[in-house]
Amino acid sequence: MKKTLQFAALAGGAALILAGCASAERPASDPADSAAQTAPAGPRIAVAYEGGVLVLGGDDYENLGEFDSEDFIRLNPAGDGRHVMVTTSKGFQLLDVQEPELTDLVVPADTAGHVVSHAGKTVLYDDATSDTTIFDSAELAKTGDALPEAEVIPGVTAHHGVSVELEDGTLLTTVGDDSGRTGIRVLDEDRNEIATNDECPGVHGEGTAKDEVVVFGCENGALVVKRGEITKLTSPDVYGRMGNAYVSEKSPLVVMDYKDDPDAEGYLLRNITLIDTEANTLEKVALPEGVEYTYRGVGRGPDAEAVLIGTDGKLHTIDPATGEVVSSLAVVDPWEGPAEWQDPHPSVKVAGSFAYVTDPADREIVVVDLDADTIAKTVKLDHVPNEIAAVG
């Protein structure tokens, strides 16, 4: 049975709680009040920094507003063309990047986790309860003073997980508990279990490729879900962890990160995984000497190519069929891996034909035109950028 929850009352209460630790009000000097009336058309980039979030907009990426928040926040597009979900200690807070405004609307979560948007649905996951909350993205875009109704699917046992809903209402969700994560469940539109797999230790991450084929990473391979059937692909190494999927819904080819040493220190990786969801094949590919990256460093371009920001400071374009680096563009200075995964370090997000690369060392966002393979603009910031989200 589906359970629907109206968040109107919850949102106000959560906002009052949130106000105790992070102000959602604009400072008096904030330009957002005037910018809201004349906000330029074009893309929106949300940039998290220590203690806040700012919004860049228009073809010149001007600063449209800055908003106080917590010291470390995460950012994910809501999939509605209007909002970014700001992950805080209180839950998922809606940042309207079109106004812009950090709203008082919060979807409460004890441990807010993954945000997935697909097939017109925005799916939120609470790691503390393993509850899944599903919004209609079009309704979310119309949000005024209250959040729209949402379907809430109670979790079984709490774990760091993720869920995705397909076009026909099928729900794929991870399985785990406090002793570890083991696999996934497939639920039909009435939320009855129709398939399961427990051969995915450390299951993490999700990506939806062409024809709604979904992949999940494991510590020894990946799960591929195709038309309700689950296939396990095995890593070439005894320990071959994949935790993040970089996908294009136009391509059956999936790029994933890859870690082959469970005892390795730090967060830098030197290999990638290529998965062909039509052929059900998995291949480990080594990057060129001197090129390493982190989980934040990969995206997919307008032609489904992979783009990777390496420690050599170059944005590498990679053929997802072969793993070959077909071009490289210097965009930032060479850099070293972060001491902690939350620490600012170069990352990349792609929207349309542009890649947005953070440069914490120089407090910049580098905008790359992927069609022309050139730097289109460098945006100076007053803060050290951490996570970013691109809309439009």
Side-chain angles (χ1 to χ4, degrees):
M1 294 290 292
K2 292 186 177 182
K3 177 183 177 183
T4 301
L5 182 62
Q6 174 56 255
F7 280 99
L10 288 175
L16 291 175
I17 296 172
L18 184 66
C21 65
S23 171
E25 297 180 358
R26 305 186 192 105
S29 60
D30 198 301
D33 287 316
S34 59
Q37 304 301 319
T38 59
R44 295 288 190 270
I45 309 300
V47 183
Y49 56 88
E50 185 175 358
V53 58
L54 62 88
V55 178
L56 307 174
D59 294 334
D60 290 331
Y61 301 99
E62 61 183 280
N63 187 335
L64 301 182
E66 298 184 14
F67 310 96
D68 292 341
S69 188
E70 299 176 354
D71 285 346
F72 178 73
I73 55 177
R74 310 206 69 182
L75 303 176
N76 288 282
D80 63 352
R82 177 183 169 189
H83 294 102
V84 165
M85 292 290 181
V86 180
T87 304
T88 73
S89 61
K90 302 303 179 183
F92 303 91
Q93 186 174 10
L94 269 69
L95 170 66
D96 186 338
V97 295
Q98 299 300 339
E99 285 295 333
E101 176 189 13
L102 183 58
T103 74
D104 290 336
L105 299 175
V106 177
V107 182
D110 290 335
T111 307
H114 282 278
V115 178
V116 175
S117 59
H118 174 71
K121 301 292 185 178
T122 303
V123 183
L124 314 178
Y125 197 92
D126 184 349
D127 291 345
T129 61
S130 74
D131 289 353
T132 297
T133 300
I134 304 175
F135 288 98
D136 183 286
S137 301
E139 292 302 313
L140 198 62
K142 302 175 186 176
T143 297
D145 295 333
L147 289 164
E149 291 185 350
E151 179 191 359
V152 177
I153 303 166
V156 178
T157 51
H159 65 281
H160 177 53
V162 65
S163 298
V164 57
E165 185 176 67
L166 304 183
E167 289 182 0
D168 64 0
T170 299
L171 185 79
L172 282 60
T173 188
T174 54
V175 175
D177 56 28
D178 55 8
S179 64
R181 306 186 299 274
T182 57
I184 64 169
R185 304 168 65 217
V186 181
L187 311 179
D188 65 18
E189 62 179 345
D190 295 319
R191 304 317 178 207
N192 300 309
E193 185 177 293
I194 57 175
T196 186
N197 183 289
D198 63 357
E199 300 176 355
C200 189
V203 61
H204 186 274
E206 164 278 338
T208 304
K210 185 179 180 180
D211 297 327
E212 288 202 306
V213 179
V214 185
V215 296
F216 293 85
C218 317
E219 291 180 352
N220 59 3
L223 297 182
V224 178
V225 187
K226 187 186 312 181
R227 294 183 292 275
E229 181 178 341
I230 306 172
T231 301
K232 172 66 180 289
L233 303 180
T234 303
S235 299
D237 302 293
V238 174
Y239 181 88
R241 180 186 185 274
M242 283 150 269
N244 297 276
Y246 312 101
V247 299
S248 166
E249 295 191 1
K250 300 188 297 184
S251 173
L253 305 176
V254 175
V255 178
M256 300 191 75
D257 54 6
Y258 193 91
K259 181 178 181 180
D260 56 11
D261 182 359
D263 300 319
E265 296 182 358
Y267 300 93
L268 292 178
L269 303 170
R270 63 180 183 276
N271 301 289
I272 58 174
T273 309
L274 306 180
I275 293 176
D276 185 331
T277 61
E278 291 182 339
N280 280 339
T281 59
L282 182 155
E283 180 184 5
K284 170 186 173 183
V285 176
L287 293 172
E289 186 70 26
V291 178
E292 294 178 295
Y293 70 103
T294 75
Y295 72 97
R296 291 185 187 176
V298 187
R300 297 296 289 272
D303 296 319
E305 71 275 26
V307 293
L308 180 150
I309 179 65
T311 50
D312 58 352
K314 296 178 181 179
L315 187 68
H316 301 278
T317 299
I318 300 173
D319 183 340
T322 65
E324 177 187 1
V325 175
V326 296
S327 67
S328 300
L329 178 68
V331 293
V332 299
D333 292 333
W335 52 280
E336 297 181 352
E340 302 293 339
W341 66 266
Q342 302 96 329
D343 292 344
H345 60 278
S347 62
V348 62
K349 292 294 182 183
V350 177
S353 60
F354 291 93
Y356 302 92
V357 180
T358 62
D359 184 356
D362 290 336
R363 297 190 176 191
E364 295 176 343
I365 302 292
V366 182
V367 183
V368 177
D369 184 332
L370 295 174
D371 288 336
D373 197 28
T374 59
I375 294 176
K377 191 173 184 63
T378 299
V379 184
K380 293 287 186 180
L381 304 174
D382 293 329
H383 307 278
V384 175
N386 201 335
E387 292 204 356
I388 61 172
V391 177

